[in-house]
Amino acid sequence: MPFLSTLRSMMRAPFTSAELDRELDEELQSYLDLLIEEKTRTGLDSAQARREALIELGGTEQVKVTVRENRHGAVLDMLMHDVRFTLRMLRRSPGFAAVFVITLAIGIGANTALFSTIKALLLSQLPYPEADRLVASVKTYEGRNAGPISRLDFFDYRRLCSSFDGFCTLSSAVRLTMTGGERAEAVGVVFTTWDLFPTLGVPPALGRNFSKSEEDLAGANVAVIGHDLWQRRFAGSREAIGASLQLDGIPYEVIGVMPPGFRFLFDTDLWIVIDRDCPIDEHRDSHSLWAVGRLKDGVSLAQAQSEVDAVAAILEEQYPETNTAKGLRLYPMRDYMVAHVRPSLNLLIATTGLLLLIACINVSGLQLARGQRRVSEMAMRSALGASRRRLIRQLLTESVILTVVAGLVGIAVAFLFHSFLLRLLPLGDPGVPVPSIDGGVLLFALAISVFTGVVVGIVPALRGTSLNVWEKLESSNRTSESRSGTRLRTGLVVVQVAMSVGLLIGCGLLIRSMVNLASVNLGFETENVIGGTYSIQADDQSTTPERVEVFASLIAEIKAQPGVTDAAAITKL
């Protein structure tokens, strides 16, 4: 097939270029000999005949360039030639290459690390089936967001709304004391309605989900545990299903185990079903639960919001004392999960983008200065037949190769910035995948490296090839730069300094804010003071004197430890 034949020729071209060039030399020499013979027959001597033949041919080197550019695979062949030439040139200028690479590596590394966070928070799919149909809801009061909703209001919304395939609620994580094993352990617990996992579309990896009847019954006392707790408490045994856990002295039966890595909104060890008679939010003016829904197929967020508003109006009419001006606002789940980190993320995007721009301007100035020293080289190559397009391609190849090397170094820098970002951004509880430097991030680093190479190389390349041969040769004999070149470099320096000053001012304000926060007077001495939590079982110490005795004994034991000067206890700190 013609296409396959062309493709084979293109792939072979870089490896057979020497042979093709020899054949081209032979053809050109044969054609030149024929022209000389023809001119000689007209009466010209051999020297004059050769000169006239060369003029008619247009120059052997120019012809070779034209033929090479029209071969199959010429682009790949010329690219490899440009790469080899670039590597030779850079070996002669190691200082320039090192400054170029280090300067851009910092900017590319910072942007690559930030992209890993953006990819996880804003671009990656949430780890739930058809996650675009998941919505979060927030209580509103007089049109303003006011946090969690009431349990009693939730049950009315779920009963009256028809826009959802599933509508569930869950509490924030609380700490309870788990006993019944070799030792007591403080575990995170989330209280939820029976349909949390069906709404998310994630079934237990072992055992079963909560049932609707367990929500209706008072005191069903069943729990679904996380994979980590299953491994830690039951060593991954299937016998965990049906086992009993004591949580603050109350027994719960384990009915299911969630898949590895499952987390949603809050870090927790297990989930307990909320029944209709539980003491959480016993009144409509108590609000401590978060509602999550899955829209029915074909139902938009706006349609669901309209229905929720109608239900809010009904509840306001039925319960004016507690529900006046109270409503419920729906948000796409991803927007809700990343809302608390978006301001910090936007600030970092602006900062790292500015950092990369400053680096680009810096290396563009370096290339302009280097280009002034290469004027005679460009003039010689033009005189030998190289077109302006060919020279621009060579200069851009040099720039891109340097930025790709900077990108490789920047990946190492990105790992350092990545760990810093994880500490800087509050990513503890969003329930989205933890940012990581994966294949997609590495492709981004490659793409931004190539793009940066073109950006920082295009102006010096156009500038360095803008003059004709004689102007280049004349300017190469001058020791000073042209007025227009000086203006361009001065302009780049001014822009670079202006942006650097802005970035430094922003960093200074940020550091000052952090220092002010660290030096806030808490009203008590914090040096050499440590704290901890201690939970007691209500069944074991049911009276106040018994509890006081437990804490008094604990304080006495702590005071007896070496290095401890004093100890105390408080109900809440």
Side-chain angles (χ1 to χ4, degrees), residues 365 367-373 375 463 475 478-490:
Q367 286 192 303
L368 284 173
R370 185 167 181 259
Q372 184 63 25
R373 296 195 300 269
V375 170
R463 177 70 189 170
S475 63
R478 296 197 300 264
T479 58
S480 60
E481 191 176 0
S482 67
R483 181 175 300 176
S484 60
T486 302
R487 284 199 301 267
L488 179 58
R489 292 185 60 197
T490 302

Side-chain angles (χ1 to χ4, degrees), residues 376-389:
S376 58
E377 175 197 337
M378 296 296 108
M380 183 63 67
R381 296 183 65 183
S382 296
L384 292 175
S387 64
R388 187 187 184 194
R389 183 179 65 178

Side-chain angles (χ1 to χ4, degrees), residues 15 27 36 52 91 119 132 189 238 263 305 312 334 358 375 382-383 403 420 455 528 532 564 571:
F15 307 101
E27 291 179 9
I36 293 174
E52 292 292 334
R91 280 198 296 268
K119 179 174 177 289
D132 57 321
V189 178
R238 300 182 67 89
R263 56 197 296 261
Q305 184 67 63
R334 177 182 292 281
I358 292 173
V375 170
S382 296
T403 53
F420 171 73
V455 169
N528 296 328
V564 176
T571 55

Side-chain angles (χ1 to χ4, degrees), residues 337-365:
M337 284 182 166
V338 302
H340 64 300
V341 299
R342 192 179 290 274
S344 300
L345 203 57
N346 291 338
L347 177 62
L348 286 173
I349 290 172
T351 303
T352 55
L354 186 60
L355 179 63
L356 180 59
L357 186 57
I358 292 173
C360 289
I361 295 175
N362 193 5
V363 298
S364 293

Side-chain angles (χ1 to χ4, degrees), residues 25-36 53 56-57:
D25 289 339
E26 293 174 359
E27 291 179 9
L28 280 176
Q29 187 61 47
S30 177
Y31 182 70
L32 182 61
D33 291 342
L34 290 176
L35 283 178
I36 293 174
E56 183 175 336
L57 183 62

Side-chain angles (χ1 to χ4, degrees), residues 292-335:
V292 175
R294 177 178 288 275
L295 298 174
K296 287 184 176 179
D297 193 16
V299 176
S300 67
L301 183 66
Q303 291 172 328
Q305 184 67 63
S306 297
E307 186 180 37
V308 165
D309 292 341
V311 173
I314 295 173
L315 296 179
E316 181 176 359
E317 182 178 351
Q318 292 180 350
Y319 310 101
E321 293 183 358
T322 58
N323 287 65
T324 298
K326 186 166 67 172
L328 197 66
R329 183 170 294 151
L330 304 178
Y331 291 95
M333 183 55 67
R334 177 182 292 281
D335 293 347

Side-chain angles (χ1 to χ4, degrees), residues 92-212:
R92 300 174 186 172
S93 306
F96 166 80
V99 173
F100 190 109
V101 168
I102 293 173
T103 301
L104 282 182
I106 296 174
I108 292 175
N111 280 269
T112 300
L114 182 60
F115 177 77
S116 69
T117 304
I118 294 174
K119 179 174 177 289
L121 296 182
L122 304 180
L123 302 180
S124 298
Q125 180 75 12
L126 293 176
Y128 316 110
E130 297 183 273
D132 57 321
R133 292 167 53 195
L134 292 176
V135 295
S137 60
V138 176
K139 179 196 68 181
T140 62
Y141 183 73
E142 295 182 346
R144 299 187 301 271
N145 288 353
I149 71 171
S150 165
R151 177 177 63 91
L152 300 179
D153 285 343
F154 163 76
F155 283 123
D156 287 331
Y157 278 112
R158 187 171 70 175
R159 176 174 56 86
L160 297 173
C161 289
S162 59
S163 299
F164 304 97
D165 273 341
F167 196 55
C168 62
T169 188
L170 66 160
S171 70
S172 301
V174 297
R175 306 297 290 181
L176 300 180
T177 301
M178 181 176 66
T179 56
E182 296 181 357
R183 60 183 179 85
E185 179 182 357
V187 295
V189 178
V190 166
F191 294 88
T192 179
T193 49
W194 74 272
D195 50 351
L196 171 64
F197 304 126
T199 298
L200 297 178
V202 182
L206 184 66
R208 65 174 179 86
N209 184 31
F210 300 118
S211 67
K212 189 175 185 303

